[in-house]
Amino acid sequence: MRLLTDSYTAQVSHWPQRGRHLLAQYDDSTIVVYQAYKPEIGYFAAQHGHFGVDAFDTNRMTWIKPNFLWMMHRCGWATKENQDVVLAIWLDRVGFEAILKKAVLSSYDPAVYESHDAWKRALSASAVRVQWDPDYNPADGRLERRAIQIGLGGKAAAHYAQGGWITHIEDITEFVREQHPYTQPPYANLITPRERVYPLTDEAICARLGIPAT
């Protein structure tokens, strides 16, 4: 498995406890995001490195999650129907930040938009959505920290499905299921992907996401 991992208990004390943060595994050129699919989509993507033109309805949003534990909350550690194949997807960082440059918050935030109408105009002009949802601990307990998920629709979803921005896809379902028994406190044996706060220095991106530049 290419994904880098570490003890959950060794990592959690270094993560922010509250606020909006993009926690992720990344290096100088790539960032890892996660999705969960039914087997026919997940297996194809892991084998071919893309989702294919008929993989999913590009008229709907497909949501990518950089935060592993938020993905586990969403898919129930690969136990939910049609979310039982978990993928780790490496995206080019240049492409990832190009996605964020087009992002619009999925709900109105007066700290970001000058008016509700201005937000609606931005929403209709972009195929990329961002949501800041409550993050979760391994036992599925809600935290004060917020985790990001990024929705791709229209041309952005079609480009992504055909391998745009993607450098590698890995099926990590076996790893997820191996860790599931260790998701109750004190988490002594739980291993999770190695994650840290992703640095965002572009002020335009940070303004779109409603966060301060780092």
Side-chain angles (χ1 to χ4, degrees):
M1 190 172 72
R2 181 185 296 190
L3 197 64
L4 301 177
T5 60
D6 204 348
S7 162
Y8 168 75
T9 56
Q11 296 190 77
V12 66
S13 62
H14 301 291
W15 293 340
Q17 299 302 302
R18 56 186 56 82
R20 294 174 172 179
H21 298 279
L22 201 168
L23 277 177
Q25 181 164 137
Y26 62 91
D27 58 24
D28 289 343
S29 59
T30 61
I31 179 171
V32 179
V33 299
Y34 304 96
Q35 291 190 287
Y37 283 106
K38 56 187 177 182
E40 52 263 45
I41 294 178
Y43 293 155
F44 178 94
Q47 181 179 356
H48 294 90
H50 63 84
F51 292 91
V53 294
D54 299 320
F56 44 76
D57 183 1
T58 55
N59 293 315
R60 300 177 59 189
M61 287 281 166
T62 184
W63 293 89
I64 58 177
K65 299 92 172 172
N67 182 313
F68 176 77
L69 287 177
W70 199 96
M71 183 72 255
M72 294 305 97
H73 159 71
R74 187 69 181 85
C75 73
W77 293 83
T79 64
K80 293 184 179 179
E81 185 177 5
N82 294 328
Q83 297 187 63
D84 44 343
V85 176
V86 181
L87 303 176
I89 303 158
W90 278 254
L91 301 183
D92 174 77
R93 278 183 64 173
V94 174
F96 177 71
E97 294 194 17
I99 293 169
L100 295 183
K101 286 180 180 178
K102 299 178 181 179
V104 177
L105 295 177
S106 60
S107 58
Y108 173 60
D109 184 342
V112 177
Y113 305 98
E114 61 184 19
S115 67
H116 192 272
D117 286 343
W119 167 69
K120 291 289 286 185
R121 289 193 298 271
L123 203 65
S124 64
S126 178
V128 181
R129 303 284 183 270
V130 160
Q131 291 183 189
W132 289 103
D133 299 304
D135 205 350
Y136 287 81
N137 65 27
D140 210 33
R142 184 179 290 201
L143 304 175
E144 291 187 37
R145 184 178 62 239
R146 293 276 168 161
I148 196 172
Q149 61 169 327
I150 303 155
L152 307 175
K155 292 181 179 179
H159 182 66
Y160 175 75
Q162 295 171 43
W165 308 299
I166 296 172
T167 66
H168 179 66
I169 299 178
E170 189 166 75
D171 179 354
I172 62 167
T173 310
E174 182 178 356
F175 165 73
V176 168
R177 290 178 174 158
E178 286 174 350
Q179 298 309 310
H180 191 199
Y182 308 123
T183 56
Q184 296 299 315
Y187 313 119
N189 297 312
L190 179 62
I191 302 297
T192 59
R194 192 179 300 164
E195 295 183 348
R196 52 203 168 116
V197 175
Y198 184 86
L200 285 169
T201 57
D202 187 308
E203 293 185 359
I205 290 177
C206 293
R208 282 182 170 270
L209 300 183
I211 59 174
T214 55

